[in-house]
Amino acid sequence: MNEEEPFSGIYKKLYEIGNTEEIKQVLREAKVNSPHLSGDIVLGYSKEDTISNLRRAVALEIVSKEVVHRLLWDSEENGQQHILLLIPANQDIASKLAMGTWIADKVFGEENWGNDRFPAFVDPHEAYEWADFRIGLPGANYDWIGKMYGHERIRVPVGTQKTDEDDEGIISVTRTYKYSEIRTVLVARWNHPHFLELRVDNRQLRATDSIDERRNELWKAFSEVFSIDDFDGFPIDKTLKKMVHNRLDKENIGIYSIGKIELVDPDSGKVTMLPCESGHLDDSAPRSATLQTALNEGLSPHSVNVKWSKNDDTPPSMPEQLDSIIKKTNFGPEVSIRKRVTPEVLNYVLDRIRKYAE
């Protein structure tokens, strides 16, 4: 660890992607729950100070390690991801997916996994490495979640592009780059009994193919258990059609609205409609009517920006508005959420998407 890296292990990862205010809230709760030790609990001003104080609170056994693990899980596993939704192709695969212990035995070996191995706070420099495997999530005994850490070295532009022209009119363009080291996170989650979620970190993606490259690492990791041929895409056509066609129905107002949308006609031609400054397509009556005409003529949604709204049925941690993109891909439907959210909010969105397919 050098001078530029004040932390290691789990604290290093919280320093990289953790939310400072959420960490402070853990310390505030510790003050309330341990009033006789409140003088030993300091919130701090900077993120570095706050994490140092969290580490000290754990050392003093004021805050449990499990609470710190939860902070990291929430930061890494929920949101800021492309989530591929897959369903088992047959009942045999569905039954196997519900057996988390059997899966872990196959992937890691019967004697090579468990609480003594996970969670692991590895920092791979080449291949992906397993970071966690948990069986049984809160309120979902048959669910499981597996997580891997990876490492990529990407080229990042520095400064502005420089253009020069010589006396002969020859123009040269110069762009300066530097290499940046980034840590990537891959997550596979069996959402029993509905679908398998393959979640790919969308931070600093170089191109669309990087999503597939990262996702292939998950397929390789689970090759002893299942393959891509064991799954079909979740039936997103029905979801998108129902959400777009019924977006202005009374029961849907206040739940979601539609932003940018891509439609495909029967001959595979594509039409894109963009909202006005508000971001809501139906804030413009002519644009709303144009969309309805396109739907009536048989065009079908291919990619939809869905804006979820906070309401009486959403979790308390739901933001006032949460942007997501639901689109069809060659491998199945993909949900992209750009913002990190709580597990409850992510489950709410995915559950809504599932129910709209019923």
Side-chain angles (χ1 to χ4, degrees), residues 162-174:
K162 184 180 179 181
T163 303
D164 292 312
E165 183 175 356
D166 62 18
D167 295 338
E168 297 179 359
I170 297 176
I171 298 173
S172 60
V173 178
T174 304

Side-chain angles (χ1 to χ4, degrees), residues 321-345:
Q321 180 172 286
L322 178 64
D323 281 354
S324 68
I325 300 173
I326 307 173
K327 67 178 181 179
K328 297 162 66 175
T329 75
N330 293 333
F331 300 101
E334 189 176 275
V335 181
S336 176
I337 296 180
R338 301 292 183 180
K339 184 175 183 179
R340 186 175 66 81
V341 294
T342 64
E344 294 77 18
V345 169

Side-chain angles (χ1 to χ4, degrees), residues 10 44-45 67 199 206 209 221 286 295:
I10 188 171
Y45 293 98
V67 170
R199 307 179 185 177
R206 299 185 304 276
D209 62 351
L295 295 172

Side-chain angles (χ1 to χ4, degrees), residues 38-301:
S38 62
D40 294 317
I41 303 173
V42 182
L43 299 185
Y45 293 98
S46 68
K47 187 172 189 177
E48 185 173 333
D49 288 343
T50 301
I51 293 178
S52 293
N53 293 331
L54 176 67
R55 183 171 57 181
R56 181 170 181 270
V58 172
L60 294 173
E61 298 184 349
I62 301 172
V63 174
S64 70
K65 290 182 179 179
E66 288 72 20
V67 170
V68 182
H69 291 167
R70 177 60 60 187
L71 279 170
L72 183 65
W73 294 341
D74 289 353
S75 296
E76 289 181 332
E77 299 170 11
N78 303 285
Q80 288 186 302
Q81 296 162 325
H82 295 271
I83 306 173
L84 189 69
L85 300 182
L86 303 170
I87 57 175
N90 55 62
Q91 187 54 48
D92 180 55
I93 295 297
S95 299
K96 288 179 179 178
L97 287 167
M99 298 187 293
T101 299
W102 177 83
I103 290 173
D105 289 344
K106 283 285 188 180
V107 174
F108 306 110
E110 293 185 18
E111 306 299 327
N112 198 30
W113 77 279
N115 293 333
D116 57 338
R117 174 172 179 176
F118 297 126
F121 308 109
V122 294
D123 283 307
H125 291 285
E126 293 182 9
Y128 279 82
E129 293 186 30
W130 282 103
D132 206 357
F133 195 89
R134 308 194 301 277
I135 300 172
L137 303 181
N141 294 334
Y142 292 99
D143 288 28
W144 52 262
I145 192 164
K147 180 169 63 178
M148 303 181 77
Y149 289 155
H151 176 271
E152 291 183 14
R153 192 168 187 249
I154 64 173
R155 197 173 64 172
V156 181
V158 179
T160 58
Q161 182 173 286
K162 184 180 179 181
T163 303
D164 292 312
E165 183 175 356
D166 62 18
D167 295 338
E168 297 179 359
I170 297 176
I171 298 173
S172 60
V173 178
T174 304
R175 190 70 187 260
T176 304
Y177 294 85
K178 70 173 182 179
Y179 282 104
S180 177
E181 311 289 329
I182 64 169
R183 181 173 61 86
T184 56
V185 180
L186 307 178
V187 174
R189 188 247 173 118
W190 171 238
N191 190 328
H192 184 80
H194 308 300
F195 35 62
L196 178 70
E197 305 166 16
L198 298 186
R199 307 179 185 177
V200 175
D201 191 341
N202 64 22
R203 291 173 300 165
Q204 295 181 288
L205 282 168
R206 299 185 304 276
T208 303
D209 62 351
S210 294
I211 302 173
D212 296 332
E213 289 171 5
R214 293 182 184 181
R215 193 174 284 133
N216 283 338
E217 296 295 333
L218 283 170
W219 287 120
K220 288 190 290 185
F222 285 99
S223 60
E224 292 294 321
V225 183
F226 51 69
S227 72
I228 192 171
D229 295 329
D230 293 321
F231 295 90
D232 298 318
F234 178 77
I236 204 67
D237 281 327
K238 191 171 183 180
T239 294
L240 291 179
K241 286 181 180 179
K242 185 178 289 188
M243 292 186 71
V244 175
H245 279 274
N246 303 336
R247 67 195 186 279
L248 299 179
D249 290 356
K250 182 178 179 181
E251 61 267 27
N252 292 324
I253 297 294
I255 295 178
Y256 69 89
S257 60
I258 298 298
K260 177 183 176 181
I261 184 171
E262 292 182 358
L263 302 157
V264 176
D265 65 28
D267 295 321
S268 300
K270 189 177 292 186
V271 175
T272 300
M273 297 187 67
L274 301 174
C276 48
E277 291 183 3
S278 69
H280 302 279
L281 204 65
D282 292 295
D283 282 357
S284 165
R287 193 176 290 111
S288 184
T290 300
L291 173 57
Q292 196 57 51
T293 299
L295 295 172
N296 294 340
E297 292 297 323
L299 276 72
S300 58

